[in-house]
Amino acid sequence: MQRGEKLYSGKAKSVYACDQDGALILHFRNDTSAFDGERVEQLDRKGIVNNKFNAFIMEYLEEAGIQTHFLKLISDDEALVRQLDMFPIECVIRNVASGSICRRLGVEDGIDLNPPTFEFFLKNDALHDPMINESHIESFGWASAEIVAQMKQETFKVNKLLSKLFADADMILVDFKIEFGMQDGKLYLGDEFSPDGCRIWDAKTREKLDKDRFRKGLGGVVEAYEQVAQRLGLEV
Ligand code: TMP
Ligand code: ASP
């Protein structure tokens, strides 16, 4: 499978056309960004680690009945995926308070959220991905009420499945962000699931094993991602 024209370049991945109808190639780069693209660094091996990590999670979710865009791995840092029309929306679930919710609501970092809380954000770096609600999504025509309900339901299912997967490997899935899109009238989980877009803590020590290591300058970023992968039984 050969890359065709480059269609889009995001902060950590590029999207290419390919010769399979209705499919695209995702290239996972080593670029690592934080603060809406204000800080970008190259981290050796990150593209490979995230590509394999994402493939593992997408296949796990697919087997558990979540429809995902993932089709197959095609190289160390590339995957073949369904071509989706993406919604400009990020779906976030938090099991433990950390990051922006602590700043916005003045709550203590590390408190358990029971039940887990759900938030929508608008994908817009220039506006710093503002939080939006279901009414905004409908009024501005970003998605229908039916799709909103479906995205929310799928995100809760993903949370249930992955929280258990991580817990069984002595880790806490603190929070995560996922994105959805459509192909032929069907909703699919798109984009990626990797430690770039979630928070994962060691269950005992609460050591950070995700992109917060980069945001906070703690070092050992890719090493932490590899540790998470290894704990899940994945060779990277
Ligand atoms: P936050 O605490 O910054 O709102 O982020 C919550 C989780 O969602 C965290 O794991 C990071 C992830 N996330 C992204 O990866 N990209 C985004 O644009 C946003 C808003 C969140
Ligand atoms: N949207 C945020 C950014 O790119 C998410 C993150 O910090 O990873 O900065």
Side-chain angles (χ1 to χ4, degrees):
M1 185 71 58
Q2 290 286 315
R3 282 187 206 171
E5 183 195 349
K6 189 194 270 194
L7 301 175
Y8 175 78
S9 192
K11 284 177 285 187
K13 295 189 296 302
S14 303
V15 181
Y16 294 85
C18 70
D19 52 19
Q20 183 171 320
D21 246 14
L24 295 171
I25 293 173
L26 282 190
H27 174 222
F28 287 74
R29 308 194 314 269
N30 287 340
D31 297 271
T32 311
S33 78
F35 315 116
D36 304 313
E38 260 174 49
R39 203 169 116 217
V40 183
E41 277 174 38
Q42 292 278 313
L43 297 182
D44 204 30
R45 286 184 53 77
K46 200 204 61 157
I48 294 175
V49 172
N50 275 5
N51 184 40
K52 293 185 179 171
F53 193 96
N54 175 63
F56 174 81
I57 297 287
M58 290 281 172
E59 281 176 345
Y60 181 83
L61 292 174
E62 192 80 44
E63 257 172 53
I66 306 282
Q67 311 260 26
T68 82
H69 70 158
F70 182 79
L71 296 170
K72 63 175 183 181
L73 277 177
I74 54 176
S75 75
D76 273 358
D77 60 2
E78 295 167 307
L80 188 72
V81 298
R82 283 174 206 278
Q83 177 165 21
L84 305 183
D85 282 326
M86 296 300 291
F87 296 104
I89 293 168
E90 305 184 327
C91 298
V92 169
I93 283 194
R94 302 174 192 273
N95 298 302
V96 176
S98 199
S100 75
I101 199 170
C102 298
R103 291 193 294 277
R104 277 183 282 121
L105 304 183
V107 296
E108 194 186 329
D109 189 286
I111 58 169
D112 285 343
L113 300 174
N114 214 342
T117 196
F118 182 98
E119 294 169 341
F120 285 114
F121 293 89
L122 181 66
K123 243 180 116 66
N124 186 322
D125 279 339
L127 298 177
H128 304 291
D129 294 343
M131 192 165 86
I132 52 175
N133 64 30
E134 296 178 23
S135 173
H136 296 150
I137 296 175
E138 263 194 89
S139 297
F140 293 107
W142 292 318
S144 68
E146 189 192 345
I147 291 291
V148 165
Q150 231 180 312
M151 288 196 292
K152 213 167 153 178
Q153 192 180 37
E154 291 298 286
T155 306
F156 273 104
K157 273 194 218 162
V158 167
N159 186 46
K160 205 164 183 184
L161 289 162
L162 297 187
S163 291
K164 175 158 180 5
L165 183 75
F166 285 101
D168 287 347
D170 289 323
M171 292 178 280
I172 302 168
L173 181 58
V174 170
D175 59 29
F176 65 91
K177 180 270 298 179
I178 54 178
E179 298 176 28
F180 293 88
M182 307 286 287
Q183 187 185 59
D184 299 332
K186 258 171 72 177
L187 184 75
Y188 291 92
L189 173 60
D191 190 51
E192 71 178 89
F193 190 102
S194 76
D196 267 1
C198 66
R199 291 190 171 93
I200 302 162
W201 293 351
D202 177 88
K204 283 195 196 73
T205 65
R206 298 208 151 197
E207 184 190 359
K208 297 179 194 305
L209 301 171
D210 56 72
K211 200 161 85 172
D212 267 351
R213 298 200 69 83
F214 177 72
R215 295 189 189 97
K216 294 175 183 290
L218 299 174
V221 180
V222 178
E223 290 79 0
Y225 291 18
E226 284 171 326
Q227 196 194 129
V228 175
Q230 275 157 15
R231 287 203 207 178
L232 294 175
L234 171 65
E235 283 285 320
V236 287

Short mmCIF file of all heavy atoms in Angstrom, two decimals, residues 12 21 61:
data_model
loop_
_atom_site.label_atom_id
_atom_site.label_comp_id
_atom_site.label_asym_id
_atom_site.label_seq_id
_atom_site.Cartn_x
_atom_site.Cartn_y
_atom_site.Cartn_z
N ALA A 12 0.16 15.78 15.10
CA ALA A 12 0.98 14.59 15.33
C ALA A 12 0.83 13.53 14.24
O ALA A 12 1.57 12.56 14.21
CB ALA A 12 0.64 13.98 16.69
N ASP A 21 -10.37 2.30 -2.39
CA ASP A 21 -11.57 3.16 -2.32
C ASP A 21 -12.07 3.33 -0.89
O ASP A 21 -12.17 2.35 -0.16
CB ASP A 21 -12.69 2.49 -3.14
CG ASP A 21 -13.05 3.32 -4.34
OD1 ASP A 21 -12.27 4.23 -4.67
OD2 ASP A 21 -14.13 3.05 -4.91
N LEU A 61 -11.26 -2.56 20.84
CA LEU A 61 -12.59 -1.95 20.87
C LEU A 61 -13.50 -2.57 19.81
O LEU A 61 -14.68 -2.85 20.06
CB LEU A 61 -12.49 -0.44 20.67
CG LEU A 61 -11.83 0.35 21.81
CD1 LEU A 61 -11.66 1.82 21.43
CD2 LEU A 61 -12.62 0.22 23.12
#
